[in-house]
Every structure is written in C-alpha cells, then in structure tokens.
Amino acid sequence: MFESLFSGFDTDIFDEFKRLESEMLQLFGNSPWPAGIRATQRGAFPPVNVGTTPERVDVYLFAAGLDPKSLDLSIQQNLLAVSGSHKVKVDEKADYYRRERFDGDFRRVITLPSDVDPDRVEARYRDGVLQVTIQRRESTRPRQITVN
Amino acid sequence: MAANQEVTARKSTAVDERKTRAQEAPMLPAVDIFEDAYQITVQAEMPGVSKDRLNVQAHHNELLIEGDVQLDMPAGMTAFYADLQTTKYRRRFVLSGELETDRIAASLKDGVLTVRIPKRAEFRTRRIKVDAQ
C-alpha cells in the first residue's frame, strides 16, 4: 500500500541523486581500471568502451548525432587517436531549459593492447556509435599445445 | 508460525528486488530541452539505441524515454576498458497541462532522439503590445 506512495519518488529526485553520484565518481575516478597516462577524466566526450577477443580488439565510441565526415582517426602502433567535431544545432528563436548535450570539438587517445596490427583497421558508424575494429597479430594469439 | 514465515519470505524478495534495481541503474541520457511558440522539444542522446529498442511514452502526465544499447560484438568478447557500464538509458519528465500529450511526435537519427510536444492552441504565446502614453 505504501509502496505506491514511495515508488513515485524514484523518478526525478533519485535520478538527480544518481546523477550527482555519477558526477562524483567521474571527479574522483572510482574506476575498477587503473588510469592510463593518456586517460582523460571520466565523463569526457565521447565515452569509450573497449572489448577484446583473441583475434581482434573493438573500440566503441558513443557519439550520437555525429557527422562521420568530421572524424579524423589515426593509429600509431597501439595508440588510437580519434578527433572530430560534435555540433549541436541551436534554435535561436527558442528558450532553452536544459543544455546538457556536448557541443564542440573533441579528441580522445585510446591505448590498445600492444599486439594490435595497425595495418588492419576498419571503422563504421551506426546508431550513434563509432566502432573501430583492429585485428591482432597472429603470433601472439593463444595456441593449443598438445601433450604427447 | 506459518504466518511468520510468510512475512520473512516477503521481506527477502523485497530486498532482492531492490538489489537488482540498483545493479541495473540506467544511464541518464544527456538532453537539451527548448520551447518555442508552438511546442516543447526534447533532444536526448542515446548512442547505440536503434528504433526497435527505443520506448517513448506519455502516460499520466509523464514523459518516459528509455532505450537499450545494442552493439555489434563478436562472441566471447571481454571488457578491456569501459566508460559505460550499463546498457540501459532511462529518463522521465513531468509534463504540464497545456501540452497535447496525444500529439507527441518522436524521431531517432544516429542515436539522437527528438521528441516534439505541441502546445494547445490557446496556450501559444501571443505578443502583447505595449502602448506608451
């Protein structure tokens, strides 16, 4: 009975608390990963996830509404640099209540595992996510060893 | 005794529910909200959400925006680094009475959701002329 009274609360007030909490985490970097020397503070645009398999490394950049033509991708050994411009069209005649979307130029450098092959990179942009796939070198892949 | 057991059982499910809710705490998409003479527009950034994984609804004077991130991932992938640690976006806004909630229009392009909520005709802004004496 009382649940319904309180459940209405987890809308905005708790959303705001969660937001504050995540901003604190961003500030103090409470991340399970040790910070890389080229890492920017958490909350930098765009957020990045990196996943690996023995064959390849996939980098996902979460950047909605991007013009793929504005992107500049480069790779040097195992350093992937992505820069571009994320422009948000402003409606001059409207009154703004919230402006949270990132607007401007960005650059992120991502340190990849050292066995990636910089000659075999593919990138595509879909649903606001830029996915960069880098193949790993054959020689470093785990190999099954048979015991005689 | 039997009644007592039932109470205990209920309590533990309540705790479990709260726990799963905390673990699945969704991300708040970044939004721009602006108003002109005819409508209020909400633009939310939800990268990774496709049209079929998006839910926009207006119910009981509340606008709900939610979506699931779906990535193209090879089998057996392990995380090497992750800024985003959940795949759900969710945000709610309270609407006000002068908005026509049954005429809301939404569109999604490259992970940017645009929701337009028209204002009732009688609430559209009218310029007031000031006569100086």
Side-chain angles (χ1 to χ4, degrees):
Chain A
M1 176 188 177
F2 294 110
E3 298 239 309
S4 62
L5 183 64
F6 288 100
S7 65
F9 256 46
D10 76 346
T11 58
D12 277 336
I13 292 179
F14 284 109
D15 279 356
E16 284 307 311
F17 281 143
K18 268 181 211 145
R19 191 174 186 80
L20 264 175
E21 198 187 314
S22 73
E23 276 168 13
M24 299 284 273
L25 285 178
Q26 283 163 13
L27 265 174
F28 301 112
N30 188 6
S31 151
W33 283 270
I37 197 83
R38 289 185 178 82
T40 45
Q41 82 267 24
R42 289 183 72 78
F45 185 89
V48 174
N49 279 18
V50 184
T52 62
T53 67
E55 292 83 34
R56 61 191 240 199
V57 176
D58 283 272
V59 179
Y60 302 90
L61 290 107
F62 299 89
L66 209 64
D67 176 9
K69 278 178 239 139
S70 84
L71 282 170
D72 182 25
L73 271 101
S74 66
I75 187 163
Q76 191 194 1
Q77 297 301 323
N78 66 328
L79 287 181
L80 175 73
V82 182
S83 59
S85 131
H86 187 259
K87 289 270 175 265
V88 174
K89 221 176 98 192
V90 177
D91 186 344
E92 299 289 344
K93 276 181 255 167
D95 296 321
Y96 276 76
Y97 300 116
R98 287 179 191 262
R99 291 196 64 176
E100 300 169 352
R101 297 177 62 196
F102 176 87
D103 186 17
D105 297 339
F106 63 87
R107 180 178 162 84
R108 284 203 76 165
V109 178
I110 300 134
T111 308
L112 303 172
S114 51
D115 61 347
V116 293
D117 184 347
D119 294 326
R120 290 187 295 155
V121 187
E122 274 171 45
R124 59 203 167 279
Y125 185 65
R126 207 192 70 189
D127 290 335
V129 177
L130 174 69
Q131 181 176 357
V132 187
T133 304
I134 310 107
Q135 302 295 324
R136 303 177 94 156
R137 287 179 213 281
E138 303 270 348
S139 55
T140 54
R141 285 184 196 167
R143 242 172 289 175
Q144 199 70 40
I145 298 155
T146 24
V147 181
N148 294 311
Chain B
M1 200 58 202
N4 206 347
Q5 273 176 1
E6 202 188 310
V7 169
T8 327
R10 264 195 207 157
K11 259 188 194 158
S12 67
T13 40
V15 169
D16 285 349
E17 269 169 30
R18 219 171 298 151
K19 227 167 121 189
T20 38
R21 258 167 88 187
Q23 281 162 353
E24 287 172 5
M27 294 177 275
L28 286 177
V31 295
D32 280 1
I33 301 181
F34 50 94
E35 176 172 2
D36 62 22
Y38 306 100
Q39 61 192 358
I40 289 187
T41 307
V42 179
Q43 286 189 314
E45 300 214 340
M46 302 164 90
V49 176
S50 59
K51 215 173 139 191
D52 50 316
R53 299 236 160 198
L54 174 77
N55 178 30
V56 181
Q57 61 183 65
H59 184 60
H60 286 311
N61 240 12
E62 184 186 270
L63 174 70
L64 169 70
I65 293 169
E66 60 185 356
D68 259 327
V69 176
Q70 199 184 23
L71 298 175
D72 172 17
M73 288 191 293
M77 180 180 260
T78 53
F80 179 73
Y81 175 84
D83 281 336
L84 300 193
Q85 298 185 16
T86 168
T87 57
K88 283 186 199 314
Y89 292 101
R90 190 160 201 267
R91 201 151 175 186
R92 301 200 264 187
F93 299 97
V94 176
L95 300 171
S96 55
E98 80 277 14
L99 300 169
E100 289 199 77
T101 49
D102 46 352
R103 285 185 50 219
I104 294 180
S107 64
L108 181 71
K109 190 182 180 268
D110 290 338
V112 181
L113 168 72
T114 303
V115 182
R116 291 182 204 283
I117 316 157
K119 292 197 255 186
R120 287 184 206 287
E122 62 268 33
F123 282 94
R124 287 186 190 148
T125 318
R126 262 170 283 178
R127 287 255 163 249
I128 300 158
K129 218 179 123 199
V130 181
D131 285 324
Q133 296 287 316

